[in-house]
Amino acid sequence: MPTVAILGEFLDATLDVANIPDYPNALNGVQLANVGDIDRVTTAVDFSTQAIDGTIAADARLLIVHHGMFWSGIQPITGPAHQRLRSLITHDIAVYAAHLPLDVHPQLGNNALLARRLGLEPSAGFARFQTVDVGLSGRSDIATADLADRLRTLASEHRGGLVATPFDADRRTRHWGICSGAGADSATLREASTRGLDTVIVGEGPHHTAVEARELGIVVLYAGHYATETLGVRALGESLAAHFGLTATFIDAPTGL
Ligand SMILES: [Zn+2]
């Protein structure tokens, strides 16, 4: 059975971690080592007590997450943070995190899988971050209301809901953009306008993005940060498990957002 070093190397290579920029706190790659070999892995959107407890219950030795151990920044290892670390080390569980490298991956990425799930065919990128397009865009001819229904279904599978900026019942989406998670901000909306997009699908965004979208004639569909980022990490775990003959379990821990 493989070690965390072998699995980490494979994941780093699969996701091209070395070449994809990210926020410093993402700290993509192996975040916590373990000692023993690994025959079971778990995946979760967020590093959390629930994800760790699920990993212990699954008797797994590697937890793969999208938002890693250092997402909230530098903190004292006391209280719940101490308990999380103690549980991981006691049960010999390693942690691997993949943020933007997972969002952008053409097969296993959150955005590619979200587009597929919605029946949309990407033809270009969207949501530029430094040297990469984190999101995707493409052409379609679909009722915006139908797109909203599909997103509402995804959100409801994870105890979330859909928020949409107002649009007419007969409106059609002909040029869409997707950026999972916190995908809506002033910069992405300006980019959407420049690219000629009429509909932007994201997880979440601040209130002012809804105001700006309306000014630009763009509809934004906010399907929930959590729900839009369940697809990638799950697919990554399954791909890793298939390659090494392991078992992978997705731990669904909805945040409601
Ligand atoms: Zn996210």
Side-chain angles (χ1 to χ4, degrees):
M1 282 296 138
T3 60
V4 65
I6 298 286
L7 296 180
E9 221 169 87
F10 178 84
L11 290 167
D12 285 350
T14 300
L15 299 171
D16 197 18
V17 163
N19 295 308
I20 296 180
D22 212 325
Y23 307 96
N25 289 0
L27 206 69
N28 296 308
V30 174
Q31 296 192 329
L32 181 67
N34 77 333
V35 177
D37 292 350
I38 293 164
D39 62 350
R40 287 180 200 175
V41 304
T42 53
T43 56
V45 174
D46 302 291
F47 176 74
S48 67
T49 301
Q50 208 175 332
I52 294 166
D53 290 348
T55 304
I56 294 167
D59 198 23
R61 295 289 175 273
L62 174 63
L63 167 62
I64 301 170
V65 292
H66 184 51
H67 306 131
M69 297 174 73
F70 308 102
W71 202 248
S72 313
I74 297 169
Q75 294 186 9
I77 304 175
T78 55
H82 176 250
Q83 189 51 50
R84 287 193 297 268
L85 196 55
R86 191 185 161 143
S87 294
L88 289 167
I89 292 171
T90 302
H91 294 91
D92 197 32
I93 296 166
V95 177
Y96 184 96
H99 182 237
L100 291 188
L102 184 57
D103 286 324
V104 305
H105 193 275
Q107 282 86 40
L108 304 170
N110 284 317
N111 293 296
L113 293 172
L114 188 53
R116 189 190 301 172
R117 161 88 193 231
L118 297 172
L120 301 172
E121 183 68 43
S123 56
F126 173 53
R128 194 81 183 161
F129 177 77
Q130 296 181 12
T131 55
V132 291
D133 284 330
V134 177
L136 292 168
S137 59
R139 305 274 177 178
S140 59
D141 186 11
I142 177 177
T144 304
D146 286 349
L147 207 47
D149 284 344
R150 291 175 198 179
L151 281 163
R152 197 173 286 111
T153 302
L154 172 69
S156 69
E157 287 168 11
H158 301 285
R159 298 192 202 176
L162 179 77
V163 173
T165 57
F167 59 87
D168 294 336
D170 62 350
R171 185 184 191 274
R172 299 193 74 77
T173 290
R174 296 205 163 82
H175 200 177
W176 54 269
I178 288 179
C179 186
S180 66
D185 58 27
S186 295
T188 48
L189 286 175
R190 275 198 303 276
E191 184 189 336
S193 178
T194 304
R195 287 180 184 266
L197 308 185
D198 58 54
T199 306
V200 169
I201 296 157
V202 297
E204 62 167 334
H207 174 75
H208 67 81
T209 59
V211 179
E212 290 168 21
R214 205 154 189 190
E215 300 293 321
L216 295 168
I218 295 169
V219 166
V220 185
L221 304 172
Y222 307 84
H225 193 131
Y226 182 84
T228 59
E229 298 199 321
T230 52
L231 303 166
V233 77
R234 188 173 197 157
L236 181 65
E238 283 163 9
S239 163
L240 182 77
H243 188 89
F244 287 96
L246 317 174
T247 58
T249 307
F250 175 66
I251 299 164
D252 194 23
T255 57
L257 296 177

